[in-house]
Amino acid sequence: MSKLRSAPTLDDVAKRAGVSTATVSRCLNDPQRVVQATRDRVMEAVDALGYTPNFAARVMAAKRSFTIGAIIPTMENAIFARGLQAFQEEIHQRGYTLLVSSSAYKPEVEEEQIRTLVARGADGLLLIGHDRDPGICDYLARQKVPALVAWSYEAEERMPSIGFDNRQAMMALADQVIAFGHTRLAMISGLSEGNDRARLRIQGVRDAMAQNSLRPENLPVIETPYEIENGADAFRNLMTQDAPPTAILCGNDVLAVGAVRQAAQMGLRVPEDISITGFDDIELAKIVQPSLTTIHVPHRDMGRAAAVELVKMIETSSPGKSTRLDTGIVMRDSLARLI
Amino acid sequence: MSKLRSAPTLDDVAKRAGVSTATVSRCLNDPQRVVQATRDRVMEAVDALGYTPNFAARVMAAKRSFTIGAIIPTMENAIFARGLQAFQEEIHQRGYTLLVSSSAYKPEVEEEQIRTLVARGADGLLLIGHDRDPGICDYLARQKVPALVAWSYEAEERMPSIGFDNRQAMMALADQVIAFGHTRLAMISGLSEGNDRARLRIQGVRDAMAQNSLRPENLPVIETPYEIENGADAFRNLMTQDAPPTAILCGNDVLAVGAVRQAAQMGLRVPEDISITGFDDIELAKIVQPSLTTIHVPHRDMGRAAAVELVKMIETSSPGKSTRLDTGIVMRDSLARLI
DNA sequence: ATCAATAATGCAAGCGCTTACATTTGCGCT
DNA sequence: AGCGCAAATGTAAGCGCTTGCATTATTGAT
């Protein structure tokens, strides 16, 4: 019985159309299973009543939500925006809805969010990076919720991933920097704890140094949260020490932009006085003056590929397969040959 | 009975703790209603089993989800990011979770998202701007889901809103531009259809012109989606006509950044050859060279205030009250006196 | 017409939780 | 010890939907 002025239910529709709730349900979920005439009658009732299925009830009965959750470290800067947008478009096309939450780079928040999303009936999860408590992976396995890692590629890890080789990408860039004659390098990195991308990027620089007979252990590294201001502070820090570097590799474009701006502030010319590089190739990288030499990450492709793979995992209960995407160096104006 | 390897339910916990499901439920939702000893026993069972309540079941039984939905026009650029972040932090503190979806500035998508969010049991909704089909407001009223509008203030509207006066803010800026001696103005606006903010900002420029004895109907306005590229295209367009403007007011910072970059491309100096202004004061505005003279919008305050108000509406069934926040002109380097 | 298939529909049992109401327990009194 | 009352706990009825299975209608071939 419909309560006064409350949302109509399946029952109301069924009654109005003179059929059973089962038929209404089938009309909505699997139309070709019900004959045209009935279907028309049902749809008429749905429209007339302005019926919208109750999601919670549906999830509960079907044990399927057509919802995918994504937990990204931050929404504030644009690092994940483009990739996520592509991801969203792709899953939407496949009938899924995206739920996004952000963990503020805090493992414990991420864990809470994972549980929340699972409790909400997410059919699958998109996670960023591999670094996390194994307990939470067990949990996911137990709940049988497929999860895919993005922004990081690591075939050996427990969860399948779609991403790129952070170490190698950064190593290629550092190689280039060194080839340009720089020997006094420094790095401004994101916080590496619980962040494999950050850690691997540092490693990449070190490996490039080692390969070029520079001493990796001499690389000054400042770790700081990904914020423009922090990039600026780190830059000042680095440049006011004696024997300052001639090239600073930044863990991402946000930090690099901070560094570039601080350089201007300090009257240093980029790249004549100091070379600076970024990572990610977000929009900002092109806008800042001088524009950033950085690593281009195929955000949209990654998002799209992740969507395809995750939906496949959900629908076929496959374990998921990892894919490595290519990155490339984008030469712009913030890196120069040392003269 | 718990099925093999499946998620534990309230029943499992109850059984293990030797109490009824009601007691377990109370332990979780209203702990002080159950005596310490029992509570401990229950909590022990919860931990041991790794129990997480099933959200759909909870929503269904309680008719309350502690979830707030927000539908923003876009996630791609940073316009809404900061405000939304503040909103999220604030509701989180009050025990609510945020669900975000984006409508890509399409009214019909927004409507679909609204229904989706309501069906998902959202306790309240945050919407952007006032322009929308009245039918959907009826729907919300019928479903008794409180909704609050942000980024726009309009006391007369049906829905309560927290925002600022788009017209007046832009009018103040245009006034300033005119006071600087500019008489040949032009505008690059977002698409105004279904977007009251965009429309009101255009109106603001026109009103300022009228007030200063310029002819509003002469204002060239190019409407285009909020994308950097589009700002650039519009700029080229405007500047290649004869008697080009000496100042271009942009509907937001994203378009303005596009214009600034296109100016550089065309060898025009900003602001010596052409003045350009933005709106929003997003991070980008400070980074671009020259930095943007723009309207500062108190994003974080707005987000926070919206959270407070919406939660109040939800918890006290109040109709909600509108608040107008102040904006201000930020003078930076992209606007100059006409000599 | 008749009958076996097959298609369309109905029936009713849950899904996992909350909560009104019923019952039991514990406690301070006399 | 016995009483009354409040606090603690239990019982069970849904919440609105999906879906396996049972039932009825339809179809085509004989």
Side-chain angles (χ1 to χ4, degrees):
Chain A
M1 187 119 13
S2 97
K3 275 164 299 150
L4 194 60
R5 314 227 84 235
S6 188
T9 71
L10 245 208
D11 248 316
D12 299 325
V13 178
K15 218 147 284 174
R16 190 179 219 275
V19 297
S20 73
T21 61
T23 301
V24 179
S25 174
R26 284 192 276 257
C27 268
L28 266 27
N29 300 312
D30 195 3
Q32 77 269 31
R33 282 204 47 193
V34 15
V35 90
Q36 182 75 39
T38 320
R39 202 191 316 163
D40 289 348
R41 210 141 30 87
V42 169
M43 285 323 198
E44 187 276 326
V46 166
D47 287 350
L49 263 33
Y51 169 78
T52 325
N54 178 307
F55 182 75
R58 188 194 280 244
V59 169
M60 201 165 160
K63 298 168 158 293
R64 197 79 198 318
S65 68
F66 283 98
T67 293
I68 289 178
I71 299 163
I72 56 174
T74 178
M75 287 176 152
E76 283 233 50
N77 59 51
I79 312 177
F80 301 103
R82 229 181 324 156
L84 203 65
Q85 179 77 28
F87 181 80
Q88 128 109 299
E89 285 163 16
E90 197 69 28
I91 65 169
H92 188 258
Q93 220 163 59
R94 290 169 158 66
Y96 289 79
T97 304
L98 179 65
L99 250 47
V100 185
S101 44
S102 76
S103 67
Y105 286 99
K106 299 199 187 110
E108 71 278 11
V109 176
E110 192 202 32
E111 196 166 324
E112 186 200 320
Q113 312 262 33
I114 290 178
R115 287 180 187 277
T116 304
L117 253 11
V118 169
R120 275 189 148 70
D123 292 336
L125 252 38
L126 181 75
L127 268 19
I128 307 299
H130 283 289
D131 271 17
R132 65 178 52 78
D133 192 290
I136 197 72
C137 304
D138 295 339
Y139 169 77
L140 254 15
R142 208 163 348 108
Q143 304 271 345
K144 304 203 210 324
V145 176
L148 180 66
V149 166
W151 264 265
S152 206
Y153 168 82
E154 193 60 71
E156 305 306 303
E157 288 280 349
R158 187 156 158 198
M159 290 182 180
S161 54
I162 291 203
F164 47 92
D165 188 325
N166 282 278
R167 191 189 65 86
Q168 195 157 292
M170 191 53 125
M171 188 164 136
L173 180 57
D175 244 354
Q176 180 65 257
V177 170
I178 296 170
F180 271 14
H182 295 275
T183 54
R184 293 211 310 279
L185 309 185
M187 180 154 188
I188 304 177
S189 166
L191 266 18
S192 66
E193 183 173 347
N195 184 335
D196 53 347
R197 286 96 60 217
R199 207 177 41 248
L200 288 165
R201 291 175 195 178
I202 299 177
Q203 193 56 49
V205 176
R206 291 224 161 93
D207 289 355
M209 291 177 78
Q211 212 173 62
N212 290 279
S213 346
L214 298 175
R215 323 200 61 206
E217 65 276 21
N218 288 347
L219 176 75
V221 176
I222 295 187
E223 294 194 8
T224 183
Y226 290 127
E227 298 275 333
I228 293 186
E229 286 314 311
N230 295 338
D233 293 347
F235 180 85
R236 186 173 350 86
N237 231 298
L238 248 17
M239 296 307 286
T240 49
Q241 290 173 7
D242 35 50
T246 61
I248 298 183
L249 294 112
C250 298
N252 76 7
D253 289 346
V254 173
L255 293 175
V257 166
V260 164
R261 286 178 40 83
Q262 181 64 30
Q265 199 97 359
M266 293 168 67
L268 294 167
R269 293 163 309 159
V270 179
E272 293 81 355
D273 301 328
I274 174 79
S275 281
I276 294 173
T277 65
F279 198 117
D280 281 341
D281 196 17
I282 60 178
E283 206 153 46
L284 217 50
K286 272 179 285 191
I287 286 162
V288 73
Q289 290 268 354
S291 59
L292 245 38
T293 289
T294 190
I295 297 287
H296 176 75
V297 172
H299 293 278
R300 297 197 67 91
D301 290 346
M302 185 165 56
R304 228 175 293 125
V308 172
E309 183 62 27
L310 186 51
V311 168
K312 192 166 111 201
M313 288 167 66
I314 293 171
E315 300 190 340
T316 68
S317 313
S318 82
K321 119 178 186 313
S322 296
T323 307
R324 197 171 72 76
L325 270 44
D326 287 328
T327 54
I329 300 177
V330 189
M331 285 304 225
R332 285 201 275 254
D333 307 329
S334 67
L335 168 64
R337 239 184 189 93
L338 193 65
I339 6 154
Chain B
M1 188 119 11
S2 94
K3 275 164 296 152
L4 194 60
R5 313 227 87 237
S6 186
T9 72
L10 245 208
D11 249 315
D12 299 324
V13 177
K15 218 147 283 174
R16 189 179 220 273
V19 296
S20 72
T21 61
T23 300
V24 179
S25 173
R26 283 192 278 256
C27 269
L28 265 27
N29 299 313
D30 195 3
Q32 77 269 31
R33 282 203 48 192
V34 14
V35 92
Q36 183 74 41
T38 319
R39 202 191 315 163
D40 290 347
R41 209 141 32 87
V42 170
M43 285 323 197
E44 187 276 325
V46 166
D47 288 348
L49 263 33
Y51 169 77
T52 326
N54 177 307
F55 183 74
R58 190 197 280 248
V59 169
M60 201 167 158
K63 298 168 157 292
R64 195 84 170 30
S65 68
F66 284 99
T67 293
I68 289 178
I71 298 162
I72 56 175
T74 178
M75 289 176 151
E76 281 235 52
N77 59 50
I79 312 179
F80 301 103
R82 228 180 327 155
L84 204 65
Q85 179 77 28
F87 181 80
Q88 128 109 301
E89 284 164 17
E90 197 69 28
I91 63 168
H92 188 257
Q93 218 162 59
R94 290 167 159 66
Y96 289 79
T97 305
L98 180 64
L99 250 50
V100 185
S101 42
S102 74
S103 66
Y105 286 99
K106 297 198 189 112
E108 70 281 9
V109 176
E110 192 201 32
E111 196 165 323
E112 186 200 321
Q113 311 263 32
I114 290 178
R115 287 180 187 277
T116 304
L117 253 10
V118 169
R120 278 190 145 72
D123 293 335
L125 251 40
L126 182 75
L127 268 20
I128 308 298
H130 282 289
D131 272 16
R132 65 179 52 77
D133 192 289
I136 196 72
C137 303
D138 294 339
Y139 169 77
L140 253 15
R142 208 164 346 110
Q143 305 271 344
K144 302 201 211 324
V145 176
L148 180 65
V149 166
W151 264 265
S152 206
Y153 168 82
E154 194 59 70
E156 306 305 303
E157 289 280 349
R158 186 157 160 198
M159 289 182 180
S161 54
I162 291 201
F164 47 93
D165 188 325
N166 281 278
R167 191 189 64 88
Q168 195 157 293
M170 191 53 124
M171 188 165 138
L173 180 58
D175 244 354
Q176 181 65 257
V177 170
I178 297 170
F180 271 13
H182 294 275
T183 54
R184 293 213 309 278
L185 309 186
M187 182 156 187
I188 303 177
S189 166
L191 266 19
S192 66
E193 183 173 347
N195 185 334
D196 54 345
R197 286 96 61 214
R199 205 176 44 246
L200 288 165
R201 291 176 195 178
I202 298 177
Q203 193 56 50
V205 176
R206 292 223 161 95
D207 290 355
M209 291 176 79
Q211 213 174 60
N212 290 278
S213 345
L214 298 176
R215 323 201 62 207
E217 64 276 21
N218 288 347
L219 176 75
V221 176
I222 295 187
E223 294 196 8
T224 182
Y226 290 129
E227 298 275 334
I228 293 186
E229 287 315 310
N230 295 338
D233 293 347
F235 181 86
R236 186 174 349 90
N237 230 299
L238 250 15
M239 297 306 285
T240 50
Q241 291 172 8
D242 36 49
T246 61
I248 297 182
L249 294 112
C250 298
N252 77 6
D253 289 346
V254 173
L255 293 175
V257 166
V260 164
R261 285 178 40 83
Q262 181 64 29
Q265 200 96 0
M266 293 169 66
L268 293 167
R269 292 163 309 158
V270 180
E272 293 81 356
D273 301 328
I274 174 77
S275 280
I276 294 173
T277 65
F279 199 117
D280 281 340
D281 195 17
I282 60 177
E283 206 154 45
L284 217 51
K286 273 180 284 191
I287 286 162
V288 72
Q289 289 269 355
S291 58
L292 244 39
T293 289
T294 189
I295 298 287
H296 176 75
V297 172
H299 294 278
R300 297 198 67 89
D301 291 346
M302 185 164 57
R304 228 176 292 125
V308 171
E309 183 63 27
L310 186 52
V311 169
K312 193 166 109 202
M313 288 166 66
I314 293 170
E315 301 191 340
T316 68
S317 315
S318 81
K321 119 179 185 312
S322 295
T323 307
R324 198 171 72 75
L325 270 43
D326 288 326
T327 54
I329 300 177
V330 189
M331 286 303 224
R332 284 201 276 253
D333 307 329
S334 67
L335 168 64
R337 241 185 187 93
L338 193 65
I339 5 154

